[in-house]
Amino acid sequence: MSATPPSGIAPLDATAWTCPAPLRDHPRIVMGHGGGGALSAELVQHIFAPAFGGDTLAQLGDSASVQLGGARLAFSTDSFVVRPLFFPGGSIGDLAVNGTVNDLAMSGARAAYLSCGFILEEGVELSVVARVAEAFGAAAREAGVEVVTGDTKVVEAGHGDGIFINTAGIGLIPPGVDLRPQRVVPGDVVIVSGAIGVHGVAIMSVREGLEFGVEIASDCAALGGLVEAMLAVTPDLHVLRDPTRGGLAASLNEIAAASGTGVLIQERHVPVPAPVANACAILGLDPMYVANEGKLVAFVPREHADAVLDAMRAHPLGRDAAVIGAAVDAHPGTVVARTGLGGTRVVDLPVGEQLPRIC
């Protein structure tokens, strides 16, 4: 077969190809290192953690729990490089606030203060900067958090992508709350707060100009109020995670590995809205690996599971909450899904990211 393309069709340039999930022994940083999967974990575990050291950092949670002046604080930082800057259901401004607030909420803390660093590319319109700043401020007010410090830098044209944002946040952890994967035990019930895969598909649809017959809007939201409603039932929740990069699959795998338990989920109980399922089927994606920005997964002691589930469903951000599985003695450190046909499959940690630059 001839390698020459038909007349009028440009030849493929293999040197321009990129892959968000490359070979594991790649000697340079690639997009997959930012995807929240195995490559991200290797980068942190083999480069950053040894360089920085410290017992607190070694916990590798969504936020750190630290003692300061007799108070127990949650402290987190995050950077946002989403493309495009505006998408159905939000913008990079909303995302920067809600992402940091949610990292704190996964420690049981209600966010109190945020920092904000804007990295602006030369040439970006001031009207765009103003829209993002206004969205950031509005999201902060809605989440009940105050922006107290910030910084601005400008890079030359061609050395950025319009706007990048870095945030840091602090919040107070209530007495008696101890959320960490090491507390998970066999028998814990796994609850997800609602439909998964929405944010990633929303970003992809507008980025690639795809239409699926209905607009899919991001689920971007601040989860502090939902977590407070859950903790009001019992402070004895074991672990919470917001399944962002790497999706629900990455969060479940991280919890299974850290706790040394197995996780068994019922695939048909995982809530995937029809537009997301259809989009993923067309594009060959697995909703379990698609990012979310307004959902959480909880491991709850079995005796509290029904009451916690009721409290979640009574909250606007948890009305579609569902029990999807449990922690088990079998296959420690591994996540297994029971399919609708009665078989099982391993839900592995993703290597990179199916959809890069989604947060």
Side-chain angles (χ1 to χ4, degrees):
M1 180 180 292
S2 172
T4 303
S7 176
I9 299 179
L12 295 176
D13 179 9
T15 64
W17 295 356
T18 61
C19 180
L23 295 175
R24 299 285 285 276
D25 59 353
H26 203 288
R28 299 178 186 272
I29 291 293
V30 292
M31 290 301 295
H33 283 112
L39 283 172
S40 293
E42 290 175 359
L43 187 67
V44 171
Q45 292 168 2
H46 298 300
I47 294 182
F48 296 126
F52 302 155
D55 293 337
T56 302
L57 179 64
Q59 299 296 316
L60 298 179
D62 287 338
S63 64
S65 175
V66 296
Q67 295 284 342
L68 185 64
R72 188 162 166 250
L73 302 176
F75 177 40
S76 183
T77 186
D78 209 341
S79 298
F80 299 86
V81 298
V82 65
R83 179 172 58 86
L85 299 176
F86 303 94
F87 46 84
S91 71
I92 191 173
D94 306 276
L95 198 61
V97 171
N98 294 337
T100 305
V101 166
N102 292 346
D103 282 348
L104 298 173
M106 297 307 103
S107 292
R110 186 65 182 259
Y113 301 109
L114 287 181
S115 72
C116 177
F118 271 65
I119 297 91
L120 308 175
E121 183 184 14
E122 180 185 24
V124 67
E125 296 89 347
L126 284 174
S127 60
V128 172
V129 178
R131 284 180 64 192
V132 172
E134 289 166 2
F136 191 104
R141 288 187 290 274
E142 185 173 351
V145 61
E146 185 178 358
V147 182
V148 294
T149 188
D151 181 53
T152 304
K153 293 291 188 296
V154 177
V155 298
E156 297 90 341
H159 290 264
D161 198 3
I163 299 174
F164 296 154
I165 299 178
N166 173 266
T167 58
I170 58 173
L172 189 66
I173 301 175
V177 173
D178 182 16
L179 296 171
R180 50 191 173 88
Q182 291 78 11
R183 296 194 63 218
V184 171
V185 295
D188 281 358
V189 174
V190 181
I191 304 175
V192 67
S193 64
I196 66 166
V198 180
H199 175 74
V201 171
I203 295 293
M204 177 192 60
S205 65
V206 68
R207 180 190 295 171
E208 306 299 337
L210 302 174
E211 295 183 2
F212 302 107
V214 61
E215 182 180 75
I216 301 174
S218 169
D219 58 350
C220 183
L223 296 171
L226 176 61
V227 172
E228 285 188 346
M230 297 167 67
L231 292 173
V233 174
T234 175
D236 189 31
L237 306 179
H238 284 171
V239 68
L240 302 177
R241 284 289 171 90
D242 58 333
T244 53
R245 295 178 304 165
L248 181 61
S251 292
L252 293 176
N253 272 278
E254 290 166 1
I255 293 169
S259 64
T261 65
V263 176
L264 177 63
I265 64 171
Q266 303 293 331
E267 199 167 56
R268 61 191 177 88
H269 293 166
V270 178
V272 180
V276 170
N278 293 339
C280 288
I282 291 170
L283 297 166
L285 303 176
D286 186 339
M288 290 284 291
Y289 295 92
V290 178
N292 314 270
E293 285 293 348
K295 300 297 187 298
L296 63 81
V297 59
F299 282 64
V300 181
R302 186 170 296 278
E303 63 269 24
H304 301 307
D306 288 342
V308 170
L309 183 63
D310 288 343
M312 295 174 73
R313 288 175 171 170
H315 191 278
L317 295 179
R319 60 179 177 267
D320 296 322
V323 173
I324 63 169
V328 295
D329 285 310
H331 49 80
T334 302
V335 180
V336 171
R338 181 163 290 138
T339 69
L341 298 176
T344 58
R345 69 180 179 100
V346 173
V347 181
D348 206 356
L349 184 70
V351 175
E353 172 59 73
Q354 295 182 113
L355 305 170
R357 301 286 300 279
I358 44 73
C359 64

